[in-house]
Amino acid sequence: MKSDIWRFLVILFGCVWLSQPLSAAAAPATFASATVKLHDLELLDQDGKSRRFQSDVIGDQLVAITFTYTTCTTICPILDSIFVTLQKKLGARMGKDFHLITMSIDPVNDIPKRLKAYSLKLGARPGWTFLTGSKVNMDKVLVGLDMYSPDIYNHPPSIIVGDGKTGTWQRFYGFPSADKILSSLTELQKARHH
């Protein structure tokens, strides 16, 4: 009798579990054209240097942008690992042809010193910029990128790829591979020469 009850509970649990939607981690990454508004506000990089978002950080560069906070233990480490892999694949083109940007969605706690330690932990090389700043400025920049979330613990996984020169932007939803991001950056670079 007890074994029948346990068997029933196991089957019931399995049915409930299988009926749940796929998590973001299990779902394939998708991408679409994106409309963004680049606010040229003062932010701080991982070295504490003041930099204006549009004119100093984006400029006319080809960039990939991700969004994280340093105490995250769920989706942020996955996004960060994608950028670590992308950095390796970029090789000598890193910081020359393509630039990586990681923006904190928790600017109150992610001060430059903390971002610097985080960038070192990830092995970030020149060409990978980490940004924070006043909450007011960061929130406005995130709103312009359509990445503001009032609850940092529930922000969507997303990576934006764009060309600051032409104003062409794409958004990846979920967890795209480093190869997909690199392919998108390369296509944007080729489009400049046509």
Side-chain angles (χ1 to χ4, degrees):
M1 183 73 169
K2 279 187 176 182
S3 65
D4 288 339
I5 292 172
W6 280 110
R7 198 171 311 144
F8 172 77
L9 289 174
V10 167
I11 291 170
L12 179 64
F13 174 77
C15 289
V16 169
W17 182 75
L18 288 172
S19 70
Q20 298 302 309
L22 286 175
S23 69
T30 60
F31 87 100
S33 293
T35 301
V36 302
K37 179 168 177 50
L38 301 176
H39 293 286
D40 203 26
L41 298 173
E42 182 181 321
L43 302 178
L44 296 171
D45 69 14
Q46 70 270 25
D47 297 314
K49 182 179 175 187
S50 175
R51 301 180 71 184
R52 292 203 165 269
F53 182 63
Q54 182 177 11
S55 53
D56 299 333
V57 179
I58 302 292
D60 62 357
Q61 303 178 107
L62 294 160
V63 300
I65 308 171
T66 191
F67 308 87
T68 192
Y69 62 100
T70 59
T71 57
C72 179
T73 58
T74 55
I75 68 171
C76 302
I78 298 169
L79 293 168
D80 294 332
S81 71
I82 292 168
F83 265 34
V84 168
T85 303
L86 180 57
Q87 175 180 243
K88 289 177 189 165
K89 289 181 175 289
L90 289 174
R93 296 183 292 172
M94 172 81 168
K96 179 183 169 206
D97 297 331
F98 307 113
H99 298 264
L100 305 182
I101 302 166
T102 294
M103 301 191 69
S104 172
I105 59 169
D106 183 17
V108 173
N109 294 302
D110 286 342
I111 59 174
K113 183 178 178 181
R114 181 178 268 182
L115 285 183
K116 181 68 172 183
Y118 196 67
S119 72
L120 292 172
K121 177 180 153 189
L122 295 175
R125 297 194 323 261
W128 186 352
T129 303
F130 290 73
L131 294 173
T132 188
S134 72
K135 180 152 176 43
V136 171
N137 283 2
M138 284 301 291
D139 286 354
K140 190 159 186 177
V141 169
L142 292 170
V143 166
L145 297 171
D146 197 22
M147 280 305 298
Y148 174 77
S149 177
D151 177 7
I152 65 167
Y153 304 110
N154 195 25
H155 71 97
S158 180
I159 293 173
I160 298 174
V161 176
D163 184 341
K165 186 175 186 177
T166 66
T168 305
W169 296 90
Q170 300 169 344
R171 184 183 313 276
F172 286 90
Y173 299 94
F175 303 101
S177 68
D179 287 330
K180 283 187 178 179
I181 299 168
L182 180 56
S183 175
S184 181
L185 286 167
T186 303
E187 285 173 21
L188 288 172
Q189 186 181 44
K190 286 178 184 173
R192 284 183 168 190
H193 304 294
H194 288 107

